Amino acid sequence: MVIISNSSRRASTTMEKMKSLGFDPSLFVGAITSGELTHQYLQRRDDDWFAALGKSCIHMTWSDRGAISLKGLDLQIVENVEEAEFVLAHGTEALGHPSGAVCPMTLEELEKILERCAAKRIPMVVANPDFVTVEARALRVMPGTLAAKYEKLGGEVKWMGKPDKIIYKSAMAMAGADALDSIAVGDSLHHDIKGANEAGIHSAFITGGIHATELGVSSFGEVADLSSVQALASKYDAYPSFVLPAFTW
């Protein structure tokens, strides 16, 4: 098993989190996260698109959840949009300062900055393509929401994670498996299931996650109505191989 996560943090952090959740890390080959992929591509610069990015960036990050470290990336964090060559979106709570400190901001304030960035026509790298995540049964806005807004403003976005097949290919390489021997398990039709479709692998859709309300699921383990699942899959143009109320073992 490989953990595929749109977390904006490094893979090592994700494996540490698995321990705190009660999982034995030895059960997994490892983890590949959006944050890990972003870090690797920004560090190596062996991809033509990333090689052309430049070094100065507007950094959108976390505050309450803990800022993302850019150590080892040789980047210059700037506050002035006029000095920026690209936008790096790790979080939705704050703007990074050149000092390494962060300035907490509302989503609306960050979107105002994005409007100015889009007007300048600079690209964005989004290190967490999720739109929302479930925390204590509540939905929290994630960087993918900022990226979608940026595209609507006419900005160019490099999506470093699900549903782009780049992260699935990395996971399969890590496990030494090809598409025919792989299955993706997740609760997001747009990210997990559509990503599996794009990568050409089977998928298992967990109905008790972020789509629970849309599916009329109110309690853990409750089985969703199949016709509702089919209608939602059609809406998102994402089609699972299997459907499960929860993922347990």
Side-chain angles (χ1 to χ4, degrees):
M1 293 187 290
V2 178
I3 302 293
I4 300 182
S5 172
N6 273 357
S7 167
S8 47
R9 301 187 186 281
R10 301 290 302 277
S12 57
T13 303
T14 293
M15 293 312 294
E16 284 299 317
K17 186 174 182 180
M18 295 306 291
K19 282 186 194 176
S20 70
L21 292 172
F23 293 94
D24 178 357
S26 69
L27 293 172
F28 304 92
V29 175
I32 185 70
T33 66
S34 294
E36 184 67 39
L37 275 180
T38 300
H39 188 93
Q40 290 176 7
Y41 273 72
L42 284 171
Q43 189 173 56
R44 292 198 306 255
R45 300 279 180 155
D46 54 3
D47 172 273
D48 289 344
W49 193 91
F50 278 87
L53 269 186
K55 299 288 187 178
S56 61
C57 70
I58 293 285
H59 186 212
M60 297 183 175
T61 185
W62 301 113
S63 57
D64 293 345
R65 295 164 65 94
I68 303 292
S69 171
L70 302 180
K71 186 177 179 181
L73 293 181
D74 190 28
L75 295 177
Q76 180 186 358
I77 308 305
V78 297
E79 299 173 69
N80 188 345
V81 171
E82 296 308 313
E83 299 173 9
E85 294 172 289
F86 70 100
V87 183
L88 178 56
H90 275 109
T92 62
E93 295 176 343
L95 197 66
H97 279 202
S99 66
V102 298
C103 176
M105 287 193 173
T106 65
L107 204 60
E108 292 73 20
E109 289 172 326
L110 291 176
E111 288 178 346
K112 288 291 183 185
I113 294 171
L114 288 182
E115 289 173 7
R116 291 171 17 225
C117 292
K120 194 187 171 191
R121 304 189 67 79
I122 61 175
M124 169 192 274
V125 179
V126 59
N128 182 331
D130 281 352
F131 297 133
V132 293
T133 192
V134 180
E135 288 187 354
R137 303 300 294 173
L139 297 182
R140 182 188 284 266
V141 175
M142 302 302 278
T145 296
L146 291 176
K149 166 80 172 180
Y150 202 58
E151 284 192 332
K152 285 182 180 178
L153 291 169
E156 179 186 7
V157 176
K158 179 67 77 172
W159 299 81
M160 296 301 290
K162 303 175 293 184
D164 195 285
K165 58 188 176 186
I166 183 174
I167 197 165
Y168 293 85
K169 286 185 175 180
S170 294
M172 284 187 277
M174 185 180 289
D178 60 25
L180 290 175
D181 296 320
S182 304
I183 182 168
V185 181
D187 69 339
S188 168
L189 283 166
H190 174 77
H191 295 100
D192 303 315
I193 307 306
K194 193 174 185 69
N197 292 167
E198 293 288 327
I201 63 178
H202 288 300
S203 61
F205 172 47
I206 308 304
T207 55
I210 67 169
H211 293 295
T213 300
E214 291 174 277
L215 292 169
V217 173
S218 57
S219 60
F220 182 79
E222 180 183 344
V223 177
D225 176 71
L226 186 57
S227 62
S228 297
V229 173
Q230 291 171 333
L232 201 62
S234 180
K235 174 185 172 182
Y236 285 93
D237 190 27
Y239 303 95
S241 312
F242 308 97
V243 179
L244 299 168
F247 185 50
T248 60
W249 73 86

